[in-house]
Amino acid sequence: MKEKFNFQVEGVPLIKFQDAEKIKKLQSGKIYAKTLGYYRKREEETGDCEVGDKYEGMMNLNNAFIYSPDENKIVSANDKLFKTSESDDFVFCMFGIDPNLEKFKFTDKQKEKMLSFGDTALIVLNRAEFIHRVKVGAEKAGYKIHFD
């Protein structure tokens, strides 16, 4: 028999899939994050373009001209990747589900992929409060953060 759960959601709920130890640390205020470079390498090395992204934190320019300070001239940039100021920042990702969708169901492929993240899921029902707490904690520890 399937159990039904009733709970109050504030905004879009967030879900984090990881192993139980990292979820417990997250609940105690410790966030496990990796660099954007990790996600670029992941796609390049494994071909995993669902989690990995070879363009993460990069800017791809096509048919552009830019000033090159090294060469002291304007050069053509056609299908070139450039690092952004954020290209090696640490990131922490979560999955969000729009509660206004009538039905949401993970595909079998998505379920299989989720298992590679870990054996546990944390559901955050109040997104705004979660972001507020992360922001306050990060700033108190001297970190600059951005949410998007």
Side-chain angles (χ1 to χ4, degrees):
M1 177 172 117
K2 288 188 177 181
E3 288 186 54
K4 289 198 175 202
F5 298 96
N6 290 321
F7 47 84
Q8 186 67 34
V9 176
E10 295 286 332
V12 175
L14 299 172
I15 304 172
K16 183 66 175 175
F17 299 99
Q18 275 186 323
D19 61 68
E21 181 182 324
K22 288 179 186 155
I23 292 293
K24 284 179 185 173
K25 286 180 180 179
L26 175 59
Q27 289 175 306
S28 72
K30 294 179 180 146
I31 291 180
Y32 178 80
K34 294 185 178 177
T35 65
L36 291 169
Y38 166 85
Y39 295 101
R40 286 194 301 271
K41 286 180 188 172
R42 182 171 175 136
E43 181 178 7
E44 291 171 6
E45 293 174 358
T46 68
D48 175 7
C49 62
E50 292 173 326
V51 174
D53 182 352
K54 63 185 173 185
Y55 303 113
E56 193 71 70
M58 303 290 278
M59 182 171 42
N60 189 22
L61 294 180
N62 289 308
N63 301 319
F65 294 93
I66 61 170
Y67 173 73
S68 170
D70 294 338
E71 300 175 43
N72 195 27
K73 66 180 182 178
I74 295 175
V75 295
S76 173
N78 188 22
D79 198 26
K80 302 263 187 204
L81 281 177
F82 295 92
K83 283 187 170 188
T84 64
S85 61
E86 295 83 18
S87 63
D88 290 317
D89 285 356
F90 284 87
V91 293
F92 176 80
C93 300
M94 297 183 84
F95 181 82
I97 298 175
D98 184 345
N100 297 317
L101 292 176
E102 189 173 311
K103 285 188 174 183
F104 177 85
K105 190 174 182 182
F106 289 109
T107 66
D108 289 339
K109 184 178 178 182
Q110 288 171 321
K111 290 175 188 175
E112 186 177 314
K113 190 70 168 174
M114 282 184 275
L115 290 174
S116 70
F117 298 133
D119 60 359
T120 305
L122 174 70
I123 301 173
V124 175
L125 299 176
N126 189 330
R127 175 189 184 125
E129 179 62 20
F130 176 79
I131 290 172
H132 173 74
R133 289 180 186 189
V134 171
K135 185 175 182 177
V136 167
E139 288 173 352
K140 191 184 262 187
Y143 293 102
K144 284 188 191 178
I145 59 171
H146 172 76
F147 293 93
D148 195 5

